Amino acid sequence: MEGSNLKSAALLEQLRVHLASGAGEELVEKIGFVYQLNISPKRIGVDEEVFVVDLRKGVVSKGAYEGKPDATFFFTDDDFLAISSGKLNPQMAFIMGKLKIKGSISAAQKFTPDIFPKPSKL
């Protein structure tokens, strides 16, 4: 994603391309929710960048969602990468305070590492 210093931006860009390739249709049918990700470099809520993963339309964008997302997540750059790669369990992250959620918990539970494209070998 343009103009971001977050490591997460590269993963979100991969997801954007993945969804645009047609692979997104299955996720849109299966999930159908809009997620807003508030990602901070070091501490939750400090200098955060906002991204939207719209699994109703199959798009990823930078900037706040126009309207009310189904679920909003707040985490640090490193914690988001750990959760999205499956290295950190989202429930454990929530319990440990590394992940905050606003909105529908049932929608939030469908936001799993499975939606992200598997990293290609470099």
Side-chain angles (χ1 to χ4, degrees):
M1 297 272 146
E2 296 291 314
S4 174
N5 296 325
L6 296 173
K7 294 175 274 188
S8 303
L11 179 64
L12 290 164
E13 176 61 20
Q14 284 180 335
L15 179 60
R16 186 188 69 73
V17 170
H18 181 66
L19 292 174
S21 74
E25 289 176 28
E26 185 183 321
L27 287 170
V28 167
E29 284 179 30
K30 191 168 112 183
I31 298 175
F33 291 115
V34 175
Y35 300 101
Q36 182 169 301
L37 312 178
N38 294 33
I39 305 173
S40 303
K42 296 280 179 232
R43 278 198 2 252
I44 292 178
V46 179
D47 299 328
E48 64 189 13
E49 291 185 32
V50 179
F51 300 88
V52 173
V53 177
D54 184 337
L55 294 177
R56 281 191 198 140
K57 296 180 184 161
V59 294
V60 177
S61 57
K62 191 168 192 294
Y65 184 64
E66 304 272 331
K68 189 170 184 240
D70 294 295
T72 302
F73 298 101
F74 302 85
F75 26 40
T76 64
D77 197 18
D78 289 339
D79 290 336
F80 170 70
L81 289 172
I83 291 168
S84 59
S85 68
K87 291 186 175 110
L88 176 60
N89 178 297
Q91 287 85 2
M92 287 306 301
F94 183 77
I95 291 166
M96 296 176 349
K98 293 176 177 248
L99 165 64
K100 296 185 183 345
I101 302 170
K102 194 168 95 184
S104 165
I105 296 298
S106 60
Q109 288 174 327
K110 291 191 177 213
F111 192 79
T112 64
D114 302 346
I115 69 168
F116 293 93
K118 298 297 164 251
S120 54
K121 301 282 183 262
L122 298 177

